[in-house]
Amino acid sequence: MDQFTIFGFFIFILRSCSGIQHEEDYLKFPPGFSIGSASSAYQVEGAWNVSGKGPSVWDWFTHKKDSIVVGQATGDIACDSYHKYKEDIAMMKDIGFRHYRFSLSWTRILPTGLPDKISQEGLQYYKDLIDEVRRQGMEPFVTIYHWDHPEFMTRLGSWTNELMVQYYAEYARVVFRELGSRVKLWATVNEPEQNCRLGFGRDVHAPGINLPHFGEYLCLHNYLKAHARAYHIYDEEFRAEQGGQVGIVHLCEPFFPQPSDDLELKRIGFETGCAWGTYPIFSKEGNYPQVLRDRINENSKLEGLPFSRLPEFSPEWIERIRGSFDFLGINIYTAREVRALPREANGKWPNDFGVELIINETWPENNSWLRVVPQGMGEILRTIRDVYDNPPVYIMENGATSAKGFKDYNRIEYLYGYMKEMLLAINRDGCNVKGYTVWSFLDSFEWSDGYSDFFGLVEVNFSDPKRKRTPRLSTKWLKQIMKKGRLINIKDIGQLH
Ligand code: BGC
């Protein structure tokens, strides 16, 4: 029996013993399962120069005269959550959420970016925020870094410079020391691969380094080291006293092979996608997946380079990164089909990976760039279960945009489909998923899209200086779900308004 068959047999026995037979039973949330919603500091806080906060790379990027952000929008005020966090948390409590995922602004805590000066005012803001989340009966799920590092580091090459590993580690140490008694769930960094692709391989996100097939590899390499440093700092200096958990959040979109029965291509799709950032941490052997190393190394050689564009980890770093987790956080929005591309005439692999990613035009469109592919949720969860030996997983972002206004039926439909697939993966297929987080709680600053995409369960009026919040229909639906402890189709709960 191969690994997968043994697992399937085990799940069959488990199911028979637990009495779960009907789809209805599958739609219950397991005991202790946590549902919440999320934000990130730059996207919601505003107060960009309040409390002695230093400038971040996103302050700089959005303030540039030639800013490419839609409408030249900035996060200077954003949702003004810096001042309105109590209102936000009260609304979350009303829905019945169990956790709130938010991130810390590095330069609000360390105005120079380095630990020579700690802002007590900045720290106090986060202490108050965390205490309020707890007071309202929720668990704070804190992301230490969500893309907004200190501006001056940009001039040193940002994540392409290995110095970032130390800078980030020092920042993380301050955070654990100062806030660790209040927090049990930490995510070191958010979606490093997406940040590296868009901000280092391209120029659409800060810092806009734009060095394709080079910048993103250096960037992710340093991110992974920085994550591991922070994990070990927690382990060695804080875990015994604080007893929390430390993980990382990766973008893990599912790739469906085309043709669908090409299992080798399926593996290559995973290994050049989600596994680029996850394999070094979650696999038994560590390091980048072999196929990724082979193909980039081969291409580099054919280009006449005396080294690979994919940096190499030393054996010590492979060991330090491998296993540096208490859980895996994943973000999932959509999916892609993956097709094999043959080598070019000169022997090179197109796109470095020898695959192309495409959208299946039959997948339904949502309100914006997202195609709705809920079956992808189950697909990626089962792949993670099989490849990484079923680690604890938190879904840290899942969500869709809607039009302005109250009636976000399309969001409800989207969330229903994805949550259903997640519950089947847990209750039927034995995936070890501990929590689910809707992105996002509020309409927010959407990076290069500015304020043109609305991911919020709660609408924010950005032309109102008070940034008035109006909960959308989906919050009422979620409230019912939280009450009943199981997924309910909007059709089954009559009219919500
Ligand atoms: C990011 C969020 C962003 C969301 C929607 C994710 O990749 O982590 O910050 O708002 O995508 O675009």
Side-chain angles (χ1 to χ4, degrees), residues 60-80:
W60 165 79
F61 195 68
T62 55
H63 290 169
K64 285 201 302 186
K65 277 203 187 67
D66 57 350
S67 159
I68 51 100
V69 174
V70 173
Q72 302 224 306
T74 73
D76 290 1
I77 305 176
C79 308
D80 198 22

Side-chain angles (χ1 to χ4, degrees), residues 157 159-161 196-197 199-202 209-222 276 288 296 300 303 305-311 351-353:
W159 285 104
T160 60
N161 188 334
C196 293
R197 274 188 209 108
F200 296 79
R202 295 175 58 194
I209 298 243
N210 206 14
L211 287 172
H213 305 305
F214 196 62
E216 67 266 47
Y217 303 147
L218 289 171
C219 168
L220 191 82
H221 204 68
N222 291 324
W276 174 30
Y288 296 117
I296 302 174
S300 305
E303 286 156 20
L305 290 173
F307 54 83
S308 174
R309 281 183 283 99
L310 182 72
N351 306 324
D352 268 354
F353 298 160

Side-chain angles (χ1 to χ4, degrees), residues 34-45 58 78-79 81 92 95 97 99-104 141-148 187 189-191 194 205 249-251 253 329-334 366-370 377 394-402 408 410-412 414-416 418-419 422 435-460 462 472 474-475 477-478:
S34 187
I35 302 179
S37 67
S39 71
S40 88
Y42 188 77
Q43 294 181 272
V44 302
E45 276 180 13
W58 273 92
C79 308
S81 289
M92 291 174 207
I95 296 169
F97 281 149
H99 68 264
Y100 176 35
R101 176 190 176 212
F102 56 89
S103 78
L104 309 173
F141 209 134
V142 183
T143 310
I144 297 172
Y145 172 77
H146 194 126
W147 303 356
D148 52 350
V189 298
N190 176 70
E191 281 191 13
Q194 190 67 345
H205 276 194
V249 180
H250 284 286
L251 180 69
E253 304 279 25
I330 63 165
N331 296 349
I332 166 168
Y333 287 90
T334 186
N366 203 260
N367 193 56
S368 67
W369 49 270
L370 282 177
M377 174 69 100
Y394 282 92
I395 312 290
M396 298 294 266
E397 288 181 30
N398 179 231
T401 62
S402 65
D408 57 348
N410 76 302
R411 175 174 290 108
I412 297 175
Y414 174 99
L415 294 177
Y416 177 83
Y418 275 78
M419 281 200 224
M422 173 190 71
Y436 173 85
T437 318
V438 181
W439 186 270
S440 54
F441 186 65
L442 301 173
D443 287 343
S444 337
F445 173 83
E446 252 308 313
W447 308 115
S448 50
D449 291 327
Y451 298 99
S452 63
D453 253 354
F454 308 108
F455 274 94
L457 296 171
V458 173
E459 180 170 51
V460 178
F462 292 103
R472 292 194 166 100
S474 51
T475 60
W477 171 72
L478 283 162

Side-chain angles (χ1 to χ4, degrees), residues 126 225 310 459 497:
Y126 290 115
K225 288 181 174 179
L310 182 72
E459 180 170 51
H497 46 77

